[in-house]
Amino acid sequence: MGCAPSIHVSQSGVIYCRDSDESNSPRQTTSVSQGPAAPLHGLFVQTDAADAIPPSRASGPPSAARVRRARAELGSGSSAGSAAPAATTCRGRRRHCCSSAEAETQTSYTSVKVSSAEVRIGPMRLTQDPIQVLLIFAKEDSQSDGFWWACDRAGYRCNIARTPESALECFLDKHHEIIVIDHRQTRNFDAEAVCRSIRATNPSEHTVILAVVSQASDDHEEASVLPLLHAGFNRRFMENSSIIACYNELIQIEHGEVRSQFKLRACNSVFTALDHCHEAIEITSDDHVIQIHKVHRDSGDNSQTEPHSFRYKNRRKESIDVKSISSRGSDAPSLQNRRYPSMARIHSMTIEAPITKVINIINAAQENSPVTVAEALDRVLEILRTTELYSPQLGTKEEDPHTSDLVGGLMTDGLRRLSGNEYVFTKNVHQSHSHLAMPITINDVPPCVAQLLDNEESWDFNIFELEAVTHKRPLVYLGLKVFSRFGVCEFLNCSESTLRAWLQVIEANYHSSNAYHNSTHAADVLHATAFFLGKERVKGSLDQLDEVAALIAATVHDVDHPGRTNSFLCNAGSELAVLYNDTAVLESHHTALAFQLTVKDTKCNIFKNIDRNHYRTLRQAIIDMVLATEMTKHFEHVNKFVNSINKPMAAEIEGSDCECNPIGKNFPENQILIKRMMIKCADVANPCRPLDLCIEWAGRISEEYFAQTDEEKRQGLPVVMPVFDRNTCSIPKSQISFIDYFITDMFDAWDAFAHLPALMQHLADNYKHWKTLDDLKCKSLRLPSDS
């Protein structure tokens, strides 16, 4: 009786299904070969049954004397006078044609019953078929017989080719791991020319070629191996017909070069699979902490830069089982257009993230590998640890603006000087993510997260608790809840999975290394925006398109913020400052990148199903709101709001007994001013939060400003905010100045429109807290009695 079939990857490059029954008979499947020189086999059946081996070869079995010597040396225990005929005694010597030149190529199937072996590489389990060996000898002699019987003893499958043409044809068909070429005589064929012709094919990249050379006479100096190496040989074997000597040589090759090439092909296969993978890709450490997010390459994208779609498999539902192949060539252009030989099946492992398996394989492959292979794998790991796998190809592009003098500081430790005043910000690999499952829907979130989100409509919602339970990924969870409450998916006509993918892409492009401008700040601004949209006057002044635009703008308004202000970027002569002409540098970058990330991959394109006119209107609203967060135009925005909204509304209310919405508030110009004021207040609402949250935000923004000042002094740049020196700065005094100059008037105007008594009470209490600390000459965040 048969069990469920399993996928098997043969050593010869054939993938087939095998039923797990006693017959162990594989099914026919389409083979997958690699390299342009590899033939397309069509359908191929793999079998170990002895009856499938053709019963004879053109040149006949070996001589009886050689059989007796081989049996004695192999210690088989059978006497030379066995009654069995030679063809039966030499079952391992049965050969059949593997090319059109039947008399020139013979094949041996080992007399030792050997099945595919399971090789462990770290946590990986790879299925390895018996090694295939090609002997290229013009004539049969004791040396060729020595290797023949050595292959039989080792359980290898062996072919013998008599001519260069048949050898090349046989190799292209079988893709042998080891090739032994007779280099002792040159009158039959040029061994070095044969080696070069084989090396010219793609499958030979992972093949070890051995040269059999004659013993040097006592009166001649031993020849150099350089000519052999230049011809493409890997090893040299001094003529020795002893089966044990041949056996030892083959075993050393198997456990040395062949095993290393096997591991390297496994790495290549996983990278090929990841390149065509449409599932979630994460690189994690052994304790499942995410190291790198891998971007998916959309086959429909003609761009050479990597798309920015970050998809996560739902770990709560199932683990991701990577079934891949170990390609014998590393230059595979497309799995869809060509077939590639393979030799191993990668089974599912305990660690769920597929790209984590890549790291494990590479680390395991480095053990006992040749120096060149180990160095190559070091370079692979170095590339994986960069941000290009999961961030846009920005090169020397940098940060984003948020607050000009007192609102625009931020910290990053990825700054390095290139030449002159040019700087590059490199995002650090996020180390803080854990194995928390990403939700498929808003109903599929961990209970601890769901319990916190039940209170998200309250102004006192604690965003730092959400940051902690989501391991610094609060934006996806809060975004799903808020966007669902406002019907964003319905308005955009997109699925919740598309929205989830988009939120994941956006959050992945926030720098978790920033103390302030990270995805927690984005989630906080999103929460404040949603809270403001729930107020009656705001709700009555905006339509649904405005609401959706506001929520999206709040989500992306600081994406890829590097932790430095606009002034710093302009002083440093950064590429972003040059690109945007020193004007709203970071805000322009945020909006541009947000739309690039969104439209790059259809799986996260939340705009793909809306008509062109709605998209243009929505896009313009989002851009306008994000650009409004630039602090250099702070007073302009506030004054326009007061003159166009507050004063007409006050005059109308004074002339009426009811507090109905003022006439003219729904004019497009006024709607723009309301949206600008709303996101500006949401962006800097920290002083209006409950005291504990206000203190935490004050500490975070101060640390960013301290870091910028440190960097400016280190690089000899103008110090934009000298007051933010970590050795002398008074945080209470800086908060008082910030509230006095930027917050009080703006929130007075916003409160007069939206009616926010709770926020204004928090603002008064927090201001009193900072004044008390300042009066006590205390530079810390809390009173000594509160510590």
Side-chain angles (χ1 to χ4, degrees):
M1 66 182 174
C3 301
S6 62
I7 301 297
H8 181 74
V9 183
S10 72
Q11 191 78 21
S12 60
V14 179
I15 303 176
Y16 58 82
C17 296
R18 174 155 57 199
D19 291 324
S20 301
D21 55 14
E22 294 180 358
S23 65
N24 203 28
S25 299
R27 300 176 178 177
Q28 290 184 341
T29 64
T30 302
S31 67
V32 181
S33 59
Q34 179 147 357
L40 303 180
H41 295 293
L43 297 179
F44 182 82
V45 178
Q46 178 86 9
T47 178
D48 290 327
D51 293 339
I53 306 173
S56 64
R57 65 180 177 91
S59 59
S63 64
R66 287 179 182 167
V67 171
R68 286 194 298 271
R69 181 173 68 85
R71 292 174 62 84
E73 188 169 352
L74 291 170
S76 62
S78 301
S79 65
S82 174
T88 304
T89 306
C90 302
R91 179 168 172 245
R93 285 297 295 258
R94 292 176 180 173
R95 309 177 186 183
H96 72 88
C97 175
C98 71
S99 73
S100 58
E102 295 188 0
E104 298 173 350
T105 310
Q106 299 89 38
T107 302
S108 165
Y109 283 78
T110 174
S111 60
V112 180
K113 187 67 174 180
V114 177
S115 60
S116 298
E118 183 178 82
V119 178
R120 296 189 65 87
I121 303 177
M124 296 298 299
R125 298 188 300 274
L126 305 179
T127 302
Q128 182 179 22
D129 282 347
I131 301 296
Q132 294 189 99
V133 180
L134 174 60
L135 307 180
I136 305 177
F137 286 79
K139 295 181 179 180
E140 180 179 344
D141 60 8
S142 60
Q143 185 63 73
S144 64
D145 282 342
F147 277 110
W148 183 276
W149 286 107
C151 291
D152 184 85
R153 176 175 183 178
Y156 301 160
R157 292 173 180 171
C158 184
N159 302 101
I160 289 185
R162 301 302 185 193
T163 66
E165 294 78 12
S166 62
L168 183 61
E169 182 179 353
C170 186
F171 171 71
L172 292 176
D173 180 58
K174 299 294 185 182
H175 299 173
H176 305 81
E177 284 76 28
I178 303 174
I179 298 178
V180 181
I181 302 178
D182 187 3
H183 195 280
R184 295 170 298 171
Q185 301 177 5
T186 58
R187 63 176 179 271
N188 296 311
F189 55 74
D190 186 346
E192 294 183 7
V194 173
C195 181
R196 282 192 291 268
S197 67
I198 293 176
R199 285 298 185 202
T201 65
N202 280 351
S204 69
E205 180 182 1
H206 301 291
T207 298
V208 179
I209 303 181
L210 177 71
V212 178
V213 300
S214 301
Q215 292 281 357
S217 59
D218 295 337
D219 56 342
H220 287 81
E221 184 179 353
E222 184 174 344
S224 170
V225 299
L226 285 178
L228 298 178
L229 295 176
H230 292 158
F233 289 98
N234 299 97
R235 295 171 69 97
R236 181 185 67 177
F237 179 81
M238 302 300 294
E239 181 179 16
N240 188 338
S241 61
S242 166
I243 297 177
I244 293 300
C246 297
Y247 173 81
N248 289 339
E249 181 70 15
L250 294 177
I251 290 297
Q252 290 181 74
I253 294 175
E254 177 191 2
H255 289 272
E257 290 96 329
V258 171
R259 184 63 57 86
S260 297
Q261 294 291 349
F262 181 80
K263 296 176 182 179
L264 188 58
R265 289 199 300 273
C267 297
N268 290 341
S269 72
V270 176
F271 281 119
T272 301
L274 291 177
D275 191 50
H276 294 78
C277 184
H278 292 263
E279 300 294 341
I281 302 298
E282 296 174 357
I283 296 181
T284 72
S285 61
D286 291 339
D287 56 356
H288 293 212
V289 175
I290 297 174
Q291 308 293 308
I292 299 176
H293 300 268
K294 187 262 185 189
V295 297
H296 161 68
R297 188 180 300 278
D298 190 352
S299 60
D301 183 13
N302 294 326
S303 172
Q304 294 302 313
T305 59
E306 289 187 295
H308 307 282
S309 58
F310 299 81
R311 286 162 296 280
Y312 297 84
K313 192 75 172 179
N314 174 28
R315 300 184 182 174
R316 297 180 59 192
K317 297 293 184 182
E318 58 182 340
S319 71
I320 301 172
D321 183 15
V322 175
K323 292 180 175 66
S324 182
I325 62 171
S326 297
S327 58
R328 292 175 182 268
S330 60
D331 56 347
S334 170
L335 286 178
Q336 288 84 1
N337 300 328
R338 295 187 179 180
R339 304 189 218 169
Y340 301 100
S342 55
M343 72 173 190
R345 171 182 164 214
I346 301 178
H347 298 268
S348 59
M349 298 176 294
T350 56
I351 298 179
E352 291 178 329
I355 206 161
T356 302
K357 304 173 187 179
V358 177
I359 298 296
N360 292 337
I361 293 174
I362 294 175
N363 288 332
Q366 286 184 302
E367 299 176 4
N368 302 321
S369 295
V371 175
T372 55
V373 175
E375 290 176 349
L377 294 180
D378 279 334
R379 290 193 295 271
V380 171
L381 290 173
E382 181 180 354
I383 293 173
L384 287 177
R385 293 188 179 106
T386 65
T387 60
E388 285 74 19
L389 288 177
Y390 66 90
S391 68
Q393 302 282 332
L394 296 178
T396 60
K397 295 183 181 179
E398 321 158 340
E399 52 189 343
D400 118 293
H402 190 62
T403 48
S404 140
D405 214 277
L406 294 172
V407 187
L410 148 75
M411 137 190 167
T412 182
D413 52 3
L415 182 64
R416 59 187 178 88
R417 188 163 187 169
L418 295 181
S419 61
N421 284 329
E422 297 177 8
Y423 291 82
V424 170
F425 287 89
T426 57
K427 288 199 293 185
N428 289 332
V429 176
H430 296 188
Q431 301 286 347
S432 58
H433 296 312
S434 77
H435 59 281
L436 183 70
M438 296 306 300
I440 285 184
T441 67
I442 188 57
N443 297 320
D444 182 38
V445 298
C448 58
V449 177
Q451 184 177 0
L452 281 175
L453 291 177
D454 288 339
N455 191 42
E456 60 88 13
E457 294 187 41
S458 168
W459 179 254
D460 294 341
F461 176 74
N462 193 327
I463 195 66
F464 298 114
E465 291 183 357
L466 184 63
E467 176 191 63
V469 299
T470 60
H471 305 282
K472 295 190 177 181
R473 287 185 288 177
L475 188 57
V476 170
Y477 292 92
L478 182 64
L480 284 175
K481 182 69 180 295
V482 170
F483 279 50
S484 174
R485 178 156 62 91
F486 283 87
V488 174
C489 287
E490 291 79 1
F491 179 83
L492 296 176
N493 191 26
C494 71
S495 65
E496 193 170 359
S497 62
T498 301
L499 174 62
R500 183 188 71 250
W502 179 77
L503 287 168
Q504 291 169 356
V505 169
I506 297 301
E507 182 156 53
N509 281 272
Y510 275 92
H511 298 209
S512 63
S513 58
N514 291 341
Y516 183 86
H517 288 103
N518 48 44
S519 67
T520 303
H521 167 67
D524 184 67
V525 175
L526 174 62
H527 171 264
T529 302
F531 181 85
F532 295 153
L533 287 172
K535 309 306 290 184
E536 286 300 322
R537 278 220 177 95
V538 179
K539 188 186 304 181
S541 302
L542 305 176
D543 55 32
Q544 190 175 11
L545 186 145
D546 295 317
E547 294 178 351
V548 172
L551 295 174
I552 294 175
T555 302
V556 307
H557 82 283
D558 271 336
V559 65
D560 199 39
H561 197 299
R564 295 292 184 268
T565 64
N566 278 336
S567 298
F568 178 93
L569 294 181
C570 295
N571 291 334
S574 72
E575 287 189 5
L576 282 182
V578 174
L579 177 64
Y580 294 111
N581 299 316
D582 292 349
T583 303
V585 177
L586 286 174
E587 290 77 13
S588 300
H589 174 57
H590 297 327
T591 52
L593 178 61
F595 281 98
Q596 289 172 5
L597 295 173
T598 302
V599 303
K600 201 74 170 179
D601 192 330
T602 184
K603 291 181 176 60
C604 67
N605 188 353
I606 57 177
F607 306 127
K608 59 185 176 183
N609 294 326
I610 62 175
D611 63 62
R612 184 180 299 273
N613 290 334
H614 276 84
Y615 172 72
R616 290 181 63 87
T617 304
L618 188 65
R619 170 176 160 81
Q620 186 57 47
I622 294 169
I623 294 173
D624 184 82
M625 293 181 71
V626 175
L627 291 179
T629 62
E630 201 238 337
M631 290 300 291
T632 58
K633 294 186 177 181
H634 169 79
F635 295 102
E636 176 183 344
H637 293 315
V638 173
N639 286 329
K640 285 183 177 180
F641 184 86
V642 170
N643 293 325
S644 299
I645 303 295
N646 290 137
K647 290 182 179 180
M649 183 180 70
E652 192 162 339
I653 291 177
E654 288 176 359
S656 173
D657 294 332
C658 65
E659 290 194 11
C660 57
N661 291 330
I663 297 175
K665 70 183 183 310
N666 291 331
F667 290 169
E669 297 83 358
N670 289 345
Q671 288 178 324
I672 291 174
L673 295 177
I674 292 171
K675 288 182 292 183
R676 290 175 180 173
M677 193 68 162
M678 178 172 58
I679 196 169
K680 282 180 60 61
C681 290
D683 194 23
V684 293
N686 307 332
C688 300
R689 292 288 188 180
L691 180 60
D692 287 341
L693 305 184
C694 173
I695 291 174
E696 177 65 19
W697 284 123
R700 292 189 177 199
I701 191 63
S702 297
E703 177 55 35
E704 287 198 344
Y705 292 153
F706 293 156
Q708 174 167 314
T709 300
D710 293 343
E711 189 65 34
E712 288 165 336
K713 292 179 178 179
R714 235 179 356 257
Q715 301 296 339
L717 295 173
V719 177
V720 176
M721 297 176 289
V723 67
F724 283 95
D725 186 313
R726 67 175 67 250
N727 297 318
T728 61
C729 179
S730 168
I731 296 178
K733 190 179 293 294
S734 68
Q735 287 296 305
I736 292 171
S737 298
F738 179 66
I739 294 173
D740 284 339
Y741 284 95
F742 294 100
I743 297 300
T744 301
D745 291 341
M746 183 172 67
F747 270 87
D748 282 341
W750 185 238
D751 173 59
F753 173 74
H755 188 57
L756 306 165
L759 277 70
M760 302 309 292
Q761 185 60 52
H762 284 314
L763 178 59
D765 294 340
N766 295 338
Y767 189 82
K768 181 180 178 181
H769 170 79
W770 298 123
K771 284 291 290 183
T772 302
L773 290 176
D774 185 53
D775 292 340
L776 295 173
K777 308 299 182 184
C778 180
K779 297 181 180 180
S780 62
L781 296 171
R782 298 179 184 273
L783 292 169
S785 58
D786 297 334
S787 301

